Amino acid sequence: KAGVTQTPRYLIKTRGQQVTLSCSPISGHRSVSWYQQTPGQGLQFLFEYFSETQRNKGNFPGRFSGRQFSNSRSEMNVSTLELGDSALYLCASSFSSATGELFFGEGSRLTVL
Amino acid sequence: GQQLNQSPQSMFIQEGEDVSMNCTSSSIFNTWLWYKQDPGEGPVLLIALYKAGELTSNGRLTAQFGITRKDSFLNISASIPSDVGIYFCAGQDSGNTPLVFGKGTRLSVIA
């Protein structure tokens, strides 16, 4: 069974640019969550999508957005990048988020210069 | 918002030693989970706990859900080099709510 796939794995952007990250969940999983991981703050919840609907949203500015497609694949977008957006962005899928048992991808490491 | 206090932040141990780490919260969680993250990888679920007082093992790992619902601990017995990594606790308030993660315990094992 293929795991969670995130692309790209690494990317470098400059301040003010925007970025789109992609996540393909495990087949059959309908819930996709996104987390931002930084050394100082650990894993911070961004948002969760279930059946194409945003079900939960974390405490991030509106520059951070996401969506989920009918095949459960998800994308997140960050506009007007800031230096502080440099982080590892992790996607996690689950059949449902009721149990808290998440399956994480390897992450997309974003560096903002 | 909800926060989890995980300790210690880091630990260096000799191979073969036992390890203990814990997580506390000021609020109640109804599910506690422990994840491990290897370098360059995403976190992987180790143990999930769903009932206060529950004690669950997974090989050399043992975790407990505190009876107050505000804490959990993870023990690793007879550590080996592949135990190296960052261990995260996570709490879930109720079904379909986001996990709240601790900041992690970085474990180093000296052979």
Side-chain angles (χ1 to χ4, degrees), chain B residues 10-14 19 79 81 83-85 106-110:
Chain B
S10 63
M11 41 193 329
F12 290 82
I13 61 168
Q14 293 277 351
V19 173
S79 58
D83 291 333
V84 165
R106 184 180 294 273
L107 178 64
S108 300
V109 179
I110 304 167

Side-chain angles (χ1 to χ4, degrees), chain B residues 90-102:
Chain B
Q92 186 180 39
D93 186 0
S94 60
N96 298 326
T97 58
L99 298 187
V100 177
F101 281 85

Side-chain angles (χ1 to χ4, degrees), chain A residues 9-10 35 37 39-45 48 55-57 88 90 96-107, chain B residues 3 31 33 35 37 40-45 48-50 86 88 90 92 94-104:
Chain A
R9 287 292 311 278
Y10 303 92
Y35 286 82
Q37 184 177 18
Q41 296 300 317
L43 280 84
Q44 300 288 311
F45 173 74
E48 183 224 350
R55 187 157 65 177
N56 291 293
K57 188 177 189 304
L88 181 67
L90 291 162
S96 79
S97 58
T99 63
E101 297 180 13
L102 303 181
F103 294 82
F104 284 87
E106 293 178 316
Chain B
Q3 288 187 327
T31 300
L33 308 105
Y35 286 82
Q37 186 175 28
E41 305 285 331
V44 173
L45 179 65
L49 303 155
Y50 299 105
I86 305 176
F88 291 97
Q92 186 180 39
S94 60
N96 298 326
T97 58
L99 298 187
V100 177
F101 281 85
K103 294 191 176 182

